Amino acid sequence: SPTFTGFRQQDIDFTAETHLKLCKARTGDKAGMTVFMDSGAHYDAYLVKKGNDWHVCVRYSMGAIEHIEEIPVRDNDVYIRITGEEESLMEQLKQNAKTEWFTKRNLTTALAVVVSALVMAVANNVFLDAADLLPGGFMGIAVLGQKAGNLVGIHLSTALLLTLINLPVALFSAKHISKRFVFFSLANVLLTSLFLKIIPVFPFLGEIILNVIFGGFLYGFGIVIALRGGASSGGTDFISLYVANKSGKEIWTQIFIFNCVLLTIFGYLFG
């Protein structure tokens, strides 16, 4: 253990299936199949023994993002099928169990989402805003929109803008990627928006360079907490996962360029 059979994914439309029975297994033993497109995108579906229980897991590995869905099953004899379609790439596991939301894994993800949102909101309101800096991604768009609105006498809430620009992307992504991932990522966005409204904006440190260091570290740390918990900070993470799911290609370079353009616009408008 582990023992996997491999399939090479050559087209978006595909079906890979296997019937397996894991015998004489010990805790932690696993067996299943891997559907491989390239080094940046592949999917694993496998049966694993945990104590006296059996679970079927589906692992999506897409670039820097890895997400795992886990479903309890009745025994060690399962039939697994992974299908891909033009409109979406979906994993279908034929078994008789239902997903349980109040699992240790989901509670851990929920806690990670709360902590992540709090850390990012503190980083923005206490350090980045005090140094008049712009975060990247959709948070950067929201901050830029709020500041640009102030220039023309229109008061726009950063929290509201962050929610509004994330909602349509999240709803679209939910049709094509893991609904669990989208749900917890959107929860992270909504909580971040809430904390942005609750936490007062005040300069904790007087030195700009210290605000840059602590703000950048905390904001990045908040994103890492969400990713490690099985969620994300939304925004460009939704887009990158969708593109990876659809085409198997990574777009981190394009996202980096987007952030550079965002910072250039911010610098031109506000110095």
Side-chain angles (χ1 to χ4, degrees), residues 107-144:
L107 293 175
T108 300
T109 302
L111 178 60
V113 163
V114 174
V115 175
S116 169
L118 180 60
V119 170
M120 287 192 294
V122 169
N124 184 78
N125 285 7
V126 177
F127 297 102
L128 299 181
D129 190 88
D132 200 25
L133 296 174
L134 186 76
F138 277 29
M139 175 71 89
I141 297 176
V143 173
L144 182 60

Side-chain angles (χ1 to χ4, degrees), residues 217-266:
F217 172 79
L218 281 179
Y219 195 84
F221 184 59
I223 294 175
V224 170
I225 292 174
L227 291 174
R228 293 290 293 177
S232 76
S233 57
T236 52
D237 290 333
F238 288 143
I239 298 172
S240 62
L241 185 56
Y242 165 74
V243 173
N245 202 2
K246 188 75 173 178
S247 65
K249 298 179 180 178
E250 299 181 17
I251 60 168
W252 300 113
T253 300
Q254 290 86 338
I255 291 175
F256 175 76
I257 294 173
F258 166 77
N259 285 326
C260 290
V261 171
L262 199 65
L263 289 170
T264 301
I265 296 173
F266 180 77

Side-chain angles (χ1 to χ4, degrees), residues 120-177:
M120 287 192 294
V122 169
N124 184 78
N125 285 7
V126 177
F127 297 102
L128 299 181
D129 190 88
D132 200 25
L133 296 174
L134 186 76
F138 277 29
M139 175 71 89
I141 297 176
V143 173
L144 182 60
Q146 180 262 325
K147 291 184 178 294
N150 290 340
L151 285 180
V152 295
I154 301 175
H155 177 68
L156 299 172
S157 167
T158 301
L160 178 61
L161 287 174
L162 181 64
T163 301
L164 290 178
I165 60 180
N166 269 279
L167 274 176
V169 179
L171 293 176
F172 173 80
S173 300
K175 300 178 182 179
H176 303 280
I177 61 178

